[in-house]
Amino acid sequence: MPYRCELIDSVLHLELQGTVSGGELAAAFSEIEEVEARLGRMPNRITYMAGLLQTDLDYRAMDNLAMRRRQKQFPNAFRTALVAPNPISFGFARMFQSLNTNPQIEIRIFSDERAALAWVAESQAD
């Protein structure tokens, strides 16, 4: 499976591995939406992209996925940390960040996991 999604200490963790197709990424989004619906509130999240080797997503496909988040009214604001330590994952993360303009979602890109975890934990303390 090219992705893994789990809730750990009230933070949703998504890990992308290897080659991820548009269909697989859409399935990951659906799984995340199921977790969100069960919780009743939006958890902060961290997406690990270090293992992402490639994807077949073009701009249009990425925009369609981002639109699912962009147009949604959430019960609370939340943070999304994208851990993207290499050029492939950074490009993918930057495209998602620029397309996702929902004011309830604060998205930042990090090159290392520790900084991402600290940023997410900082908002949990508020």
Side-chain angles (χ1 to χ4, degrees):
M1 172 98 25
Y3 74 88
R4 185 172 51 94
C5 180
E6 63 184 318
L7 191 65
I8 303 171
D9 297 328
S10 301
V11 175
L12 189 61
H13 294 256
L14 176 65
E15 183 176 0
L16 303 175
Q17 292 274 346
T19 301
V20 180
S21 72
E24 291 162 336
L25 196 57
F29 269 60
S30 294
E31 190 173 326
I32 288 167
E33 289 168 343
E34 289 172 17
V35 170
E36 292 170 345
R38 280 196 314 268
L39 293 174
R41 81 182 256 63
M42 300 301 102
N44 288 330
R45 63 220 46 216
I46 298 176
T47 300
Y48 302 95
M49 301 175 158
L52 182 64
L53 300 176
Q54 70 181 42
T55 180
D56 66 359
L57 285 174
D58 60 9
Y59 176 85
R60 176 184 273 173
M62 180 61 86
D63 190 42
N64 287 337
L65 286 173
M67 189 181 335
R68 287 169 68 168
R69 311 307 275 171
R70 197 170 50 230
Q71 296 179 339
K72 192 166 182 171
Q73 177 68 38
F74 296 101
N76 58 280
F78 60 96
R79 287 182 170 182
T80 296
L82 304 174
V83 181
N86 58 54
I88 291 171
S89 61
F90 181 82
F92 185 75
R94 184 65 188 109
M95 184 172 23
F96 183 74
Q97 181 187 42
S98 67
L99 292 171
N100 194 337
T101 57
N102 187 318
Q104 290 184 286
I105 307 171
E106 185 178 2
I107 300 173
R108 288 200 189 160
I109 302 170
F110 297 87
S111 60
D112 71 277
E113 181 179 350
R114 277 195 9 214
L117 288 167
W119 180 70
V120 167
E122 171 187 297
S123 86
Q124 306 257 107
D126 295 340

